[in-house]
Amino acid sequence: MRSNSRTNPSAAQSPEGNETDWDPRSGEVQRDQISAYDAMRERCPVAHSDYLGWSLFRHADVLQVVADHRSFSNVVSQHPSVPNGMDPPEHTGYRQLIERYFTQQRVDAFEPVCRRIAGELLSSLKASSGWEVMSSLAEPYAVRVQCGFLGWPEGLYDPLRQWVRKNREATLARDTEAMASIALEFDSYIRAQLDARKFAGGAVPEDITTDLMRQTIGGEQLEYADIVSILRNWTVGELGTIAACVGIIVHFLAQNQEIQSHLRKDRTCLPLAIDEILRLNGPLISNRRIATKAVVIGDRQIEAGDRVTVIWASANRDPAVFEDADQYRPDRDQAPNLLYGAGIHVCPGAALARMQLRVMIDALLDGIASFTLTPGREPVHAIYPAGGLAALEIQTDGARSGMTGP
């Protein structure tokens, strides 16, 4: 029997012989993931379940794992994942390759495109006194900015949005056959873009997707499979996370009129405000690792080969690190904020994501008058592994006169 901080003799046993401390998929957890994780952090901060293996809720424990890539491997799937699912030394070369696509110069150059997209979406909504945020703003924005960043055509907007929904449903159902089929469908979209560039001759577009096809690792040109994996990781992460972030921020501002009013008057506060709002309610719930050797975390013994799940959404609300952790304090030190991860796998696109969110919220505050939650229409929480909201309705006082359309 492994060491157990709960010392509960009636705890259920998993097939592996570990005590099952909680059920991450229970209705109680899914009704409000953030509150449930707060409770777990206090009650059983290193908890075992059949679904997630070992779940870590404290900031220090999460940081211990993500900062120690030798003891906790990112190779968590039988399917190749470039570079997210790699460890050094293999990870190092691919990571250096992709970082060149997220320089501040590239981010700054792409900002006008994001501003145009945000303006077009808001312009189409300004005549309405209320709308559903996720389907009409958050999700379309995520798809369009990602396609714009990679140089993909407008014809992919709807297929990608439908793909995100199908992938989410299959993941929730743990339907591995459907998930494999859906993954192949996504790969076909990417391969079609690669094929179009391969045979375009002198008409090939000069975009990031084309540039990736010219890159080499160790003197060898990137294979299609590697490029597909890189683009899949970028796009799947971007579509879900950016949409979730927009929903979380709009929800917070709709509930907090004083803060919304303050940010309308002083947009210089937006970057810190956005990071703090997303610290309070994480868009990315967790990441996985595999222990490569026996390690003690808290007072629990984790063995080599055990699955480990770091719960970002809990670590970022740990009162041992963040004073008044459940309070909005944008002036606090954001250095411990794990919104974009930590260690060698810290998000390479953090600057890009921050810009995209700042631009969208700036455009929203500039173009739409004061907004609140629609009475009688409660927001719907997303279900693990998704964070944020599945549905959110707001009502507005109408479009501001300063609205700038496309």
Side-chain angles (χ1 to χ4, degrees), residues 171-388:
T171 301
L172 289 174
R174 301 183 74 177
D175 187 337
T176 55
E177 185 175 333
M179 290 168 66
S181 174
I182 290 166
L184 289 175
E185 176 187 338
F186 191 87
D187 287 1
S188 72
Y189 296 143
I190 299 176
R191 289 181 180 275
Q193 294 304 309
L194 300 182
D195 287 342
R197 286 159 175 77
K198 182 178 180 179
F199 300 109
V204 64
E206 291 300 325
D207 53 35
I208 287 178
T209 302
T210 298
D211 196 60
L212 271 173
M213 298 176 69
R214 298 168 178 159
Q215 299 305 316
T216 61
I217 288 285
E220 299 287 334
Q221 190 164 11
L222 284 180
E223 297 182 0
Y224 254 34
D226 291 335
I227 301 172
V228 168
S229 183
I230 290 169
L231 291 171
R232 183 198 308 120
N233 283 328
W234 286 357
T235 305
V236 173
E238 175 84 358
L239 298 185
T241 307
I242 291 297
C245 287
V246 172
I248 290 167
I249 298 165
V250 173
H251 179 237
F252 180 88
L253 295 180
Q255 288 185 304
N256 295 275
Q257 292 296 300
E258 185 177 344
I259 297 171
Q260 183 186 144
S261 177
H262 171 68
L263 293 176
R264 287 182 186 279
K265 297 172 183 175
D266 185 359
R267 306 299 172 80
T268 63
C269 297
L270 269 180
L272 288 177
I274 289 171
D275 274 9
E276 175 69 352
I277 292 167
L278 298 176
R279 182 195 66 79
L280 287 166
N281 190 351
L284 181 63
I285 297 295
S286 67
N287 271 144
R288 297 181 295 164
R289 299 290 192 273
I290 297 289
T292 61
K293 62 182 182 182
V295 180
V296 174
I297 298 183
D299 61 353
R300 310 299 291 267
Q301 178 73 34
I302 296 175
E303 302 290 356
D306 281 0
R307 293 174 296 137
V308 178
T309 303
V310 296
I311 309 293
W312 305 114
S314 171
N316 263 348
R317 294 171 55 86
D318 189 340
V321 177
F322 302 97
E323 185 179 1
D324 298 324
D326 61 348
Q327 300 298 310
Y328 171 78
R329 285 179 44 183
D331 58 340
R332 74 169 76 243
D333 179 12
Q334 293 291 334
N337 190 338
L338 298 175
L339 175 60
Y340 294 99
I344 64 170
H345 292 282
V346 66
C347 177
L352 177 67
R354 284 189 167 104
M355 179 275 289
Q356 291 171 341
L357 295 173
R358 173 178 53 79
V359 163
M360 166 50 74
I361 303 306
D362 184 44
L364 177 70
L365 296 175
D366 202 40
I368 302 295
S370 178
F371 55 87
T372 59
L373 299 179
T374 301
R377 304 302 294 267
E378 288 295 316
V380 178
H381 291 285
I383 297 175
Y384 187 91

